[in-house]
Amino acid sequence: MRVDHILEKGTGHQNEDFLIIEKNLFGVFDGASSLDKEQFEGGKTGGMIAAGTAGRIFSRNHYPLSHLGAQANQAILSEMKQKNIDFSQRHKLWSTSAAVVRVKKNSIEWFQTGDAHIILLYKDGSHKVLVERDDHDYETLLMLKKLKFKPAPAYQSQIKKIRAKMNRTYGVLNGEPEAMDFVNTGFEPSKEVKTILIFTDGLQLPSRTPRKKKNFDGFIQIYKKSGLCGLKNHIRQIEAQDQDINTYPRFKCHDDVAAIAIHL
């Protein structure tokens, strides 16, 4: 088994993505801070704490991934309680997306929530996206495009509205018990799998028009041609040519990236 990985900060002040490689267990986590942008000891954001907390729980690598996911969710809750977060204001909650796999002799155990992704590439050239889901940021990005990339008060209200839908219409680990209702987990046979890709949404091809469902065909083609680092550089180059976000709707020029390619 050979492993490639990337952990790279975007244009934000801190990297809120987190990555773990622990024997046969691999995970990426994408933290999201409260909308009030509060910081804690060492200048850490809530998103950074949430992603790191979840990652450290999963790195114990001793229970089924669904069990570790529940423990990670509970640990995030405990961290927020220690910081006296007001749970009645849900936009102040910290959260993290997660994609984790455990490679066994004949199978791949996996866990996914939020907008982190797992893709299996097979020996015959085909691929499988383990969880195909609607992009919960679709409406917000569409609004940003209609506003000609100049955020207005309605845009800020939209962001708050979507954040309030955490674990109501889409899942994240944020300490709420409902988080586990949105977890996706399972097993896949590994016999015909050539590569497992797990990555946060910072590693995605920019699109001029927001899509409700992501299509990874072009993404996979570039990966097969250029590898993980080449794919990341291709994405960064496109984003760098649109630093003012006038062409490709997104929340920042470069998002944080955590990505792992596991070659079986």
Side-chain angles (χ1 to χ4, degrees), residues 113-124:
T113 191
D115 52 12
H117 304 280
I118 306 172
I119 301 180
L120 304 182
L121 279 64
Y122 292 97
K123 296 174 184 177
D124 65 1

Side-chain angles (χ1 to χ4, degrees), residues 93-165:
L93 300 183
W94 316 337
S95 65
T96 185
S97 298
V100 185
V101 299
R102 178 187 279 141
V103 180
K104 301 184 177 183
K105 184 176 181 180
N106 298 309
S107 66
I108 300 161
E109 183 184 4
W110 60 274
F111 175 102
Q112 186 278 337
T113 191
D115 52 12
H117 304 280
I118 306 172
I119 301 180
L120 304 182
L121 279 64
Y122 292 97
K123 296 174 184 177
D124 65 1
S126 64
H127 69 270
K128 179 180 181 179
V129 181
L130 289 190
V131 178
E132 299 203 50
R133 50 179 290 280
D134 288 349
D135 182 0
H136 60 258
D137 289 322
Y138 168 73
E139 290 182 3
T140 310
L141 293 173
L142 203 61
M143 174 182 284
L144 185 59
K145 185 175 177 68
K146 289 179 178 178
L147 291 170
K148 300 187 184 299
F149 309 98
K150 296 178 181 178
Y155 172 75
Q156 300 300 328
S157 297
Q158 170 70 11
I159 290 177
K160 191 171 181 178
K161 183 184 81 170
I162 296 301
R163 185 63 67 91
K165 292 183 178 182

Side-chain angles (χ1 to χ4, degrees), residues 1 7 13 18 20 34 41 47 55 57 67-68 76 92 151 153 159 168 178 196 198 263:
M1 184 164 59
L7 180 62
H13 293 296
F18 194 83
I20 57 171
S34 61
E41 70 278 352
I57 294 294
H67 190 153
L68 290 172
I76 292 170
K92 292 188 176 183
I159 290 177
R168 302 298 184 268
E178 295 88 351
I196 307 166
I198 62 174
H263 309 284

